[in-house]
Amino acid sequence: MTGHRSPRRVVSLVPSLTEAVAACAPELLAGVTDWCSHPAGLDVPRIGGTKNPDVGRIAALAPDLVIANEEENRPQDLDALRAAGLTVLVTEVRTLDQAWGELARVLVAGCGLPRPEWLDAAEAAWRELPLPAGERTAVVPVWRRPWMVLGRDTFAGDVLARLGVRNLYADHADRYPRIPLDALNSGAADLVVLPDEPYRFSAEDGPEAFPRLPAALVSGRYLTWYGPSLVRAPAVLAQALDGAR
């Protein structure tokens, strides 16, 4: 964004980036998705989902910048926004290290904001993590009917690895493979990690499918969001994982 004036109106198509911008300069947000749930009470026009944004409505909001993500948003929607004459900043976040760089690119380079203190605090929280006492291997479902799990090259997989939990399917050819339930249960996993998004796993919906494995129910916001939640994520996730021993 060098050489451009700082945007005054930003539309965010990514819930975690919405929270990141709102934590720094909520007045910049001109539109967000229906799934942007943080911060609570955010009073901003809604422009549809991450996979089906209303391009016409976004264009009518006349944003200076649209922020998106290569995984959460569809290329055809981003192309349509560009065709409407809008500037689109697309992030790629598949590791924690990428998250630090992309958050700075969005907030500082993209939005023209000072580097936030919470970003430094988040980096420190993860940098100062003690080495895990040992490594456990987990199945990490993200959907059921059909069952889908974390595969290769995912942000959540990197987060878990830093907490001493290896994703059983980290070397799978697909990033989110569909694996039959009997195969998930017969693999060499020590536990199952069940986030509450995108599928809302809960104590009553998920653990019963894995009768031989201890289950860690975790907040999807702390496992998959890159933003202010990363400050508390190491402690919150570690507590949930320890509870599954």
Side-chain angles (χ1 to χ4, degrees):
M1 300 297 292
T2 302
H4 295 265
R5 65 178 178 86
S6 296
R8 298 179 180 177
R9 295 176 61 78
V10 174
V11 166
S12 172
L13 303 183
V14 185
S16 54
L17 294 180
T18 295
E19 184 180 24
V21 174
C24 302
E27 69 278 3
L28 289 182
L29 290 169
V32 301
T33 76
D34 299 342
W35 298 104
C36 292
S37 56
H38 288 76
L42 185 63
D43 186 15
V44 178
R46 303 290 168 156
I47 49 76
T50 56
K51 306 297 186 188
N52 59 343
D54 187 331
V55 173
R57 179 159 171 72
I58 294 171
L61 291 170
D64 304 303
L65 179 68
V66 178
I67 51 179
N69 175 264
E70 51 90 28
E71 178 176 4
E72 294 200 47
N73 308 119
R74 304 186 307 169
Q76 57 266 41
D77 295 322
L78 304 182
D79 288 343
L81 290 167
R82 295 187 186 98
L86 302 178
T87 300
V88 182
L89 188 162
V90 183
T91 59
E92 178 183 285
V93 180
R94 300 188 183 186
T95 67
L96 267 170
D97 288 339
Q98 274 191 309
W100 311 138
E102 291 291 61
L103 284 166
R105 185 164 74 100
V106 168
L107 298 171
V108 180
C111 295
L113 299 170
R115 181 180 172 89
E117 291 183 4
W118 61 257
L119 183 52
D120 291 331
E123 286 199 52
W126 284 95
R127 184 174 59 248
E128 295 165 6
L129 270 180
L131 289 175
E135 184 179 75
R136 290 181 289 170
T137 300
V139 170
V140 191
V142 294
W143 203 257
R144 70 183 298 175
R145 305 183 193 94
W147 286 96
M148 299 174 65
V149 299
L150 290 186
R152 64 171 180 84
D153 194 24
T154 66
F155 176 75
D158 186 47
V159 165
L160 289 171
R162 293 170 188 249
L163 294 166
V165 176
R166 185 183 74 87
N167 171 20
L168 180 62
Y169 292 93
D171 296 324
H172 196 281
D174 298 328
R175 296 187 66 218
Y176 299 99
R178 296 185 180 189
I179 308 291
L181 183 59
D182 58 352
L184 296 179
N185 274 300
S186 63
D190 304 308
L191 77 160
V192 57
V193 177
L194 297 167
D196 61 7
E197 61 177 70
Y199 185 90
R200 188 174 291 278
F201 288 107
S202 68
E204 294 74 35
D205 185 357
E208 80 291 342
F210 301 90
R212 74 172 187 85
L213 295 177
L217 294 165
V218 303
S219 164
R221 178 167 168 259
Y222 288 112
L223 180 63
T224 66
W225 287 35
Y226 32 90
S229 59
L230 286 172
V231 176
R232 295 189 62 229
V236 172
L237 292 172
Q239 183 177 25
L241 293 168
D242 286 345
R245 292 186 181 276

